[in-house]
Amino acid sequence: IARMQTVLEIAQKATNTHFVELEAALVDLGEDLQAGPGLADRERGAALIRRFRELHPNFTAVNLLDREGNVIASAMSAERAARP
């Protein structure tokens, strides 16, 4: 039981670290997206989303949606992003 508790504690710390780092990366992405022309420059937004995806390859898709659910920027190709 002691070994299992140790394994669980290690897994908990690793999971917590992962989500703390992800939160920081998302904050940075949000700040980058809001800087300068903001979301008015869709090419810049798409480049930032692609960069985020490249830095976090465990994500299969990274998309930025407006309030109606329309894709504003995507790390996928335009053809693939247009699919429902």
Side-chain angles (χ1 to χ4, degrees):
I1 293 180
R3 285 185 185 175
M4 182 168 257
Q5 184 172 358
T6 301
V7 169
L8 289 172
E9 288 172 3
I10 291 170
Q12 179 185 15
K13 288 178 185 177
T15 302
N16 186 55
T17 299
H18 170 76
F19 285 111
V20 167
E21 290 174 358
L22 179 58
E23 179 183 20
L26 287 168
V27 167
D28 289 344
L29 175 61
E31 290 173 354
D32 288 346
L33 286 167
Q34 293 177 37
L39 297 174
D41 184 350
R42 291 188 179 222
E43 287 184 28
R44 180 178 170 276
L48 290 170
I49 295 290
R50 283 191 302 273
R51 183 187 74 188
F52 181 85
R53 168 67 174 80
E54 289 168 2
L55 293 172
H56 301 278
N58 53 323
F59 287 98
T60 56
V62 179
N63 301 302
L64 183 61
L65 308 175
D66 65 16
R67 292 180 184 193
E68 288 78 38
N70 300 310
V71 176
I72 295 173
S74 176
M76 297 184 291
S77 68
E79 176 185 304
R80 189 164 181 199
R83 294 183 198 163

